[in-house]
Amino acid sequence: MAHAPDVLICEVGPRDGLQNLDVFVPTKAKCALIDTIAAAGMREIDAGSFVPPKVVPQFADVDAVMAHALAHKTATIGALVPNVKGAERAIAAGVDAVYFVISASETHNRANVRRSIEEQLDGFRAVRAAIDACPADRRPHLMGAIATSFGCSLEGEVSEAAVCRVAHAFVEAGADEIGLADTVGYATPKLIRQIVEAVRREVGSQMTLRLHLHDTLGAGLANAVAGLDAGIRRFDAAVSGLGGCPFAPGARGNIVTEDLVFMLERMGLSTGIDLDRLMQTREILARHIPAKHLTGHLHEAGIPKVLRRAA
């Protein structure tokens, strides 16, 4: 069995990175992207979302893409679901993990899924019940993500108490893991430490926490280091910094996976990811996505030769 990395990165480019693009990425290209990510040694891949095509046209081919992704047995293959219907589709597809999002900001939650926080919590409970109805060996991991944990473009500041209320509800409803998302990229290192520590006090040390960071204001990697200092060892990131939030116009996407991997490895923390192979994802993306959507310091500067062996 391969040695477990010090830090686990979930690659969210195939789902969060593509969902808001105004261009449809061909199914073949999505599958090639997932193949390259898996070949680089990624342990977890957010491969798509089970939503109606009229809502998110990018995932009209999610069944085909997910079937292809699940052929990669070395990685946990997950999917975002907005409700129990989506969860039922994901379970039928055989996904390894289900991701369900509730915003700490009431306004953002209504804008994002057209439901109140309480209504969305009822949806999460229904998803938990659907998973529990499966045979024990076929139950996917269930992660409850808290969007706008560090600020909201619609409401502004989000209180620590609001984040902790959702975290507590997730635990009571049976979440296997909780994700804290800087959905619009307003976090600072100080705020990362504050919210992580508050949520940990609320839910207990036995609950696994992860961070989902965006780089809207250029603080993404600094916030990742703050997360490390607060004990986080699971992070979401997207190749070439894909992504963004429709409720934060002009916002940059997720933190760049390539840059995060390089930084962590240079800090002496193993990720289990082959950076050279991961860099090859840019070629696939560049054939289908406008350059304005692709970022990354390593892609601009190249991996320094003197550091390549260490990276």
Side-chain angles (χ1 to χ4, degrees), residues 82-308:
N83 50 41
V84 69
K85 289 183 179 179
E88 288 168 349
R89 290 178 62 196
I91 292 168
V95 302
D96 303 310
V98 167
Y99 312 125
F100 191 98
V101 179
I102 300 177
S103 304
S105 156
E106 182 75 38
T107 307
H108 185 275
N109 199 76
R110 288 182 181 276
N112 194 39
V113 294
R114 299 179 182 178
R115 299 185 192 93
S116 69
I117 290 174
E118 285 304 319
E119 289 169 335
Q120 193 69 344
L121 279 168
D122 286 340
F124 182 80
R125 296 182 186 103
V127 170
R128 178 74 266 175
I131 289 174
D132 289 344
C134 298
D137 61 347
R138 292 178 51 204
R139 294 173 188 166
H141 181 80
L142 178 59
M143 196 267 283
I146 307 175
T148 64
S149 288
F150 305 94
C152 174
S153 57
L154 301 174
E155 289 190 10
E157 291 188 9
V158 174
S159 71
E160 180 181 300
V163 180
C164 287
R165 277 196 296 271
V166 179
H168 182 83
F170 268 143
V171 171
E172 285 198 328
D176 296 317
E177 180 182 359
I178 292 174
L180 300 174
D182 185 20
T183 310
V184 294
Y186 290 176
T188 64
K190 179 180 179 180
L191 186 59
I192 291 287
R193 288 189 289 267
Q194 175 189 328
I195 296 298
V196 169
E197 290 167 4
V199 170
R200 186 167 280 125
R201 288 194 300 270
E202 182 68 35
V203 303
S205 59
Q206 76 285 354
M207 174 58 67
T208 299
L209 303 180
R210 78 166 66 188
L211 281 178
H212 177 101
L213 302 172
H214 284 233
D215 202 32
T216 306
L217 301 176
L221 289 185
N223 290 335
V225 173
L228 290 169
D229 290 343
I232 299 293
R233 291 297 181 270
R234 298 170 73 90
F235 294 88
D236 291 347
V239 288
S240 290
L242 289 169
C245 175
F247 307 109
R252 296 181 70 182
N254 295 275
I255 53 173
V256 180
T257 310
E258 298 90 330
D259 294 352
L260 178 63
V261 169
F262 183 79
M263 181 188 76
L264 292 171
E265 295 283 347
R266 287 295 297 160
M267 291 173 68
L269 297 168
S270 66
T271 63
I273 296 169
D274 183 324
L275 188 54
D276 286 307
R277 284 194 174 188
L278 194 66
M279 295 285 281
Q280 294 170 11
T281 57
R282 175 62 70 95
E283 183 180 348
I284 298 169
L285 296 172
R287 290 198 292 266
H288 304 282
I289 298 173
K292 66 180 181 179
H293 295 301
L294 308 177
T295 63
H297 293 291
L298 283 187
H299 285 291
E300 294 176 5
I303 302 175
K305 291 182 179 179
V306 70
L307 302 179
R308 182 177 289 276

Side-chain angles (χ1 to χ4, degrees), residues 4-148:
D6 296 321
V7 177
L8 186 144
I9 298 173
C10 174
E11 175 53 51
V12 302
R15 195 275 304 170
D16 192 21
L18 301 183
Q19 66 183 9
N20 292 317
L21 288 178
D22 54 6
V23 294
F24 182 80
V25 177
T27 305
K28 186 175 181 180
K30 289 173 183 162
C31 292
L33 176 63
I34 290 169
D35 290 345
T36 305
I37 290 166
M42 194 68 64
R43 301 291 186 98
E44 184 173 352
I45 302 171
D46 183 356
S49 182
F50 286 93
V51 294
K54 66 179 180 181
V55 177
V56 186
Q58 189 69 253
F59 300 129
D61 58 357
V62 66
D63 292 297
V65 172
M66 201 62 64
H68 183 89
L70 285 165
H72 292 286
K73 302 302 183 184
T74 59
T76 295
I77 303 299
L80 181 80
V81 304
N83 50 41
V84 69
K85 289 183 179 179
E88 288 168 349
R89 290 178 62 196
I91 292 168
V95 302
D96 303 310
V98 167
Y99 312 125
F100 191 98
V101 179
I102 300 177
S103 304
S105 156
E106 182 75 38
T107 307
H108 185 275
N109 199 76
R110 288 182 181 276
N112 194 39
V113 294
R114 299 179 182 178
R115 299 185 192 93
S116 69
I117 290 174
E118 285 304 319
E119 289 169 335
Q120 193 69 344
L121 279 168
D122 286 340
F124 182 80
R125 296 182 186 103
V127 170
R128 178 74 266 175
I131 289 174
D132 289 344
C134 298
D137 61 347
R138 292 178 51 204
R139 294 173 188 166
H141 181 80
L142 178 59
M143 196 267 283
I146 307 175
T148 64

